[in-house]
Amino acid sequence: MASEAAPGSIGGAGTALPRHVAIIMDGNGRWAKKRFLPRFAGHKAGVEAVRAVTRAARAIGIEAMTLYAFSSENWRRPEEEVSDLMGLLRIFIRSDIDELVQENVRLRVIGDYRRFAPDLVKLVDDAIARTAANSGPILVIALNYGAQAEIAAAARSLAAKVVAGEMAVEAIDDAAIERELDTHDLPPLDLLIRTSGEVRLSNFLLWQAAYAELLFVDTLWPDFDAAALHQAVTTFAQRQRRYGGL
Ligand code: IPE
Ligand code: IPE
Ligand code: MG
């Protein structure tokens, strides 16, 4: 089971580096409000933070970073905001894909992004394909992602295998469920960060967070930068993970 794996370590004792960091990028709206700007300005500034933080993650040597960009619940926002977020995603992919290809990044998506507009689905698929042969750090974007739906899909897939006679009921264990999740080929989640002071997971990586270290910071996402990521990684290194043992 992934959560039993030891965290990555570089440079000897006391410098444990998280292999997989996930971030709930929250607070764009409040960042804009504080400046008497429209929410869109906050999302735009949030994209700049994505750029800075993904570059910093590569410099640190983090193997995988998963960013919560659009939850399955975010459809509840006004239509205009949803379309602004989709527009920014288009701009981000178009402007940053060359850098990701050059930097040997493997781009991945978790979540049901095929519900997005066909042109956006194609843009995402093409971007993933362009980085598929890379061998470096993995950048995962969670798009129309919901952890409960991910787990339900895993349950459906296992049930179908049992019905088809390909699998015994007794073979359904933690590892079998994990193999069906969108994250099945990623390193185990070591550190989950949420910005903006909210202390909840909002349906993000519920299964994967079982033994992740959780870090809630007050910084609003557009203000989260390379220094903030370094601070988070330092905090992680100081945590003692016990996995139920002593
Ligand atoms: C996070 O910022 C961005 C997305 C959810 C896409 P918010 O838009 O949730 O910002 P707040 O929480 O309203 O400040
Ligand atoms: C979580 O933030 C989703 C993303 C960051 C994409 P929300 O702002 O949507 O979460 P809630 O609604 O405050 O729980
Ligand atoms: Mg929010």
Side-chain angles (χ1 to χ4, degrees), residues 197-240:
E198 306 294 346
V199 186
R200 56 176 169 269
L201 295 180
S202 301
N203 203 14
F204 189 46
L205 300 178
L206 299 181
W207 175 282
Q208 296 84 348
Y211 266 106
E213 292 296 323
L214 308 182
L215 181 62
F216 298 94
V217 297
D218 288 335
T219 314
L220 301 173
W221 174 249
D223 292 327
F224 197 90
D225 56 10
L229 184 66
H230 278 98
Q231 179 60 56
V233 166
T234 301
T235 302
F236 173 83
Q238 290 160 350
R239 300 265 183 99
Q240 200 198 346

Side-chain angles (χ1 to χ4, degrees), residues 25-31 39 43 69-70 74 77 81 85 196:
M25 310 183 290
D26 198 14
N28 294 351
R30 278 161 284 169
W31 183 94
R39 290 180 58 85
H43 295 312
F70 193 88
N74 285 145
R77 296 189 178 200
E81 175 153 345
L85 288 167
S196 90

Side-chain angles (χ1 to χ4, degrees), residues 127-139:
I128 293 170
R130 280 192 62 195
T131 67
N134 284 352
S135 56
I138 305 170
L139 173 61

Side-chain angles (χ1 to χ4, degrees), residues 40 47 51 86-96 123:
F40 177 72
V47 175
R51 240 170 234 138
M86 301 292 161
L88 284 172
L89 179 62
R90 279 188 187 89
I91 290 169
F92 173 75
I93 294 174
R94 287 200 186 108
S95 60
D96 284 54
L123 194 65

Side-chain angles (χ1 to χ4, degrees), residues 19-37:
R19 293 182 64 195
H20 182 180
V21 177
I23 309 182
I24 302 174
M25 310 183 290
D26 198 14
N28 294 351
R30 278 161 284 169
W31 183 94
K33 194 172 181 194
K34 264 179 39 184
R35 287 164 178 75
F36 306 100
L37 294 169

Side-chain angles (χ1 to χ4, degrees), residues 111-149:
D112 196 6
Y113 71 101
R114 288 178 192 285
R115 299 280 154 125
F116 287 179
D119 75 292
L120 186 49
V121 173
K122 185 174 174 346
L123 194 65
V124 170
D125 283 339
D126 289 349
I128 293 170
R130 280 192 62 195
T131 67
N134 284 352
S135 56
I138 305 170
L139 173 61
V140 187
I141 309 190
L143 297 175
N144 193 18
Y145 174 86
Q148 290 181 333

